[in-house]
Amino acid sequence: MTSLLDSADVVVVGAGIVGLAHAVDAVRRGLSVVVVERDGRAVGASVRNFGHGCFTAQDGDALRYGTTARAAWLRLAKETGLWLRDAGTVVVARADDEYAVLEEFAAARDGHAVLLDAGQVAERVPVGPGVVGGAWLPLDIRVDPRQAVHAIADWLAGQGVRFHWATSVHLVEPGAVVTSRGRVGAGRVVFAVGHHVDRHFPGLAAQFGLRRCALHMLRVADPYGRTVDPAVLSGFSLLRYGGFTACPGVAAVRARLEAEHPDLVGIGLNLMFTQRPDGDLIVGDTHAYGDTFDPFQADELDRHVLAETGRLLGADRLTVRERWRGVYSSAPEPFLIAAPMPGVRVVAVTSGIGMTTALGLAPEVLDDLLD
C-alpha cells in the first residue's frame, strides 16, 4: 500500500504557468492546494518564452481568457512583487500590405489598437530603415519569464500551498495522485504538464492531435542601450496570431512573404523581441512540429533569427549572450481541456500562448471542475 504523502481540496500536477494559474484561482476560492512537480523548479516553456502578455492580438476563446488574465497579472504583480511592464506592444509594419492589416485590425478592435506613423514607431522602439508605420496595442504587458513563475510559486507557498518538487507522478485516479514519494489525496485534480500529456494520457493526446512545437530563441545585448518598454512584433507576427489572421488583408501579406522569404516562412519565423530587466533582448523565434526532436540544434535557424532581428533593429551585428530551445504543446485547437475521469481535468494551452491566457483559462476550468 502506497503511503500517504499529502492531501488537499485541489491537487495540481505541473508547476508551469498553467498549473500555477489553477493554484492561484483555487487559493482565491479558499481551497487547500498541493502542487506536484517532477523537476526541482519550473524549467519548461514557462521560463523559455518572451514574457509577453499578448492579449490584444488574440481571437475567440484566447481573447476572452487573455482579457481576464491581464487583470490577474496586474493583481499578482502587486501581491508577489514580480517584475511587470504595463507598456503594450508595438507592431512594426515594413510594407504597405502589413500596414493595411493593422488598419483592418484597429478598426475591428475599437480603440484597443492605435495606428502609428513611421516617426511614432521610431519614438517608441528602435527600428531600422524601411518602416512605413505600425500599431500600438496598449493593453499588452511584459513580465520577466525567468522570474515570474518562481515569484508566483513563492507567493503561493506563503498562502499555504504545499509544493512537492522533484516528485514524479505515476498514476492519476479519482480522488488521488500516486507519486514517486507517496499517495496524495485529492478532492479534485488539475493535470497541467504541457507537452507531456501524451506520456500519461496517450489516447487523449491522440484524440486532440497533440504534438510538440520546438522554438529557437536567443538573448542578445541591446545594440543601442535604450529602454524598450513595449514588446515588439513584426509583419511575420501577423501570420501567427488569431486577431491578425482574421483580417482579410493578411492573405496578401502571407503571399508576399512566401514569395520573398520562403525560407523564413518555412521555419515558422515569428520575428519579435522583448527586453529583459537587465536590458538584454529576447529575440526569436522559429517553429518546428513533431512528436520527438533530435537533440541537435541547427545553427542555421539561429543565423536566420539574428539576421532578421538585426535588419528589424537596423543593427549590423548582435552579440549573443545565450541560446536555447523552447518546447510547448501544439494541436489543431488552441486549448486542450478534457475530463478523462471524474474529478480530474487535463489542461494544456496548445498554441504557445500560455503566459497570455492561463490566468484567464484557469477560473473557467475550476468553475466546471468544482461544480
Side-chain angles (χ1 to χ4, degrees):
M1 186 72 173
T2 305
S3 61
L4 183 65
L5 174 66
D6 209 334
S7 64
D9 297 327
V10 176
V11 175
V12 176
V13 180
I17 188 59
V18 176
L20 294 182
H22 288 82
V24 168
D25 194 68
V27 164
R28 300 212 190 283
R29 297 170 191 248
L31 302 172
S32 60
V33 180
V34 162
V35 177
V36 180
E37 166 58 45
R38 68 173 191 167
D39 289 308
R41 62 187 184 282
V43 294
S46 298
V47 300
R48 304 186 200 184
N49 60 79
F50 290 99
H52 183 202
C54 186
F55 312 124
T56 314
Q58 308 305 325
D59 199 16
D61 289 341
L63 179 59
R64 187 178 76 255
Y65 296 148
T67 300
T68 301
R70 170 181 160 79
W73 273 114
L74 295 175
R75 180 178 178 183
L76 277 171
K78 294 178 180 178
E79 292 171 327
T80 69
L82 67 84
W83 184 92
L84 181 146
R85 290 295 179 270
D86 188 8
T89 296
V90 170
V91 189
V92 180
R94 295 181 290 172
D96 290 338
D97 53 12
E98 295 172 4
Y99 190 75
V101 170
L102 295 179
E103 287 180 313
E104 294 172 351
F105 181 75
R109 286 306 163 100
D110 191 26
H112 291 167
V114 180
L115 292 171
L116 307 173
D117 61 30
Q120 291 170 321
V121 170
E123 288 174 1
R124 285 172 165 79
V125 298
V127 288
V131 175
V132 300
W136 177 50
L137 316 182
L139 296 182
D140 291 356
I141 64 164
R142 291 193 301 113
V143 298
D144 179 0
R146 302 189 185 197
Q147 182 246 1
V149 289
H150 303 308
I152 294 171
D154 289 344
W155 178 81
L156 284 168
Q159 305 304 305
V161 174
R162 295 182 297 281
F163 284 82
H164 296 285
W165 301 101
T167 302
S168 298
V169 169
H170 295 163
L171 177 67
V172 177
E173 57 189 15
V177 173
V178 180
T179 80
S180 55
R181 299 181 187 275
R183 187 181 185 89
V184 181
R188 301 288 190 275
V189 177
V190 175
F191 195 82
V193 296
H195 58 277
H196 294 298
V197 167
D198 59 356
R199 302 290 193 252
H200 300 267
F201 295 97
L204 188 61
Q207 174 189 337
F208 279 82
L210 186 72
R211 297 185 298 167
R212 287 161 172 76
C213 179
L215 320 171
H216 279 226
M217 300 179 67
L218 305 98
R219 179 169 69 95
V220 303
D222 174 14
Y224 299 112
R226 171 179 171 180
T227 299
V228 187
D229 275 335
V232 180
L233 303 181
S234 73
F236 287 94
S237 307
L238 302 181
L239 309 183
R240 302 208 63 89
Y241 296 99
F244 298 137
T245 59
C247 297
V250 82
V253 175
R254 184 183 302 276
R256 177 180 56 79
L257 290 177
E258 287 177 345
E260 295 179 353
H261 306 286
D263 49 347
L264 302 180
V265 175
I267 63 173
L269 179 65
N270 177 20
L271 180 61
M272 63 173 292
F273 68 85
T274 57
Q275 189 175 59
R276 285 174 41 85
D278 62 8
D280 284 351
L281 306 180
I282 302 174
V283 305
D285 56 354
T286 64
H287 297 75
Y289 300 89
D291 296 320
T292 301
F293 294 104
D294 289 334
F296 315 108
Q297 186 158 315
D299 189 59
E300 179 186 16
L301 297 179
D302 289 355
R303 290 202 304 270
H304 278 309
V305 171
L306 289 171
E308 292 306 308
T309 302
R311 194 164 71 88
L312 177 63
L313 287 166
D316 294 332
R317 183 176 180 275
L318 295 173
T319 300
V320 177
R321 311 275 204 205
E322 291 177 327
R323 307 168 191 258
W324 66 93
R325 172 187 280 175
V327 181
Y328 67 78
S329 56
S330 176
E333 295 298 321
F335 302 96
L336 187 163
I337 306 169
M341 59 192 72
V344 176
R345 294 294 181 274
V346 177
V347 186
V349 177
T350 51
S351 47
I353 51 172
M355 298 293 275
T356 296
T357 60
L359 287 163
L361 166 66
E364 293 194 19
V365 171
L366 286 179
D367 281 346
D368 173 62
L369 179 59
L370 298 169
D371 186 7

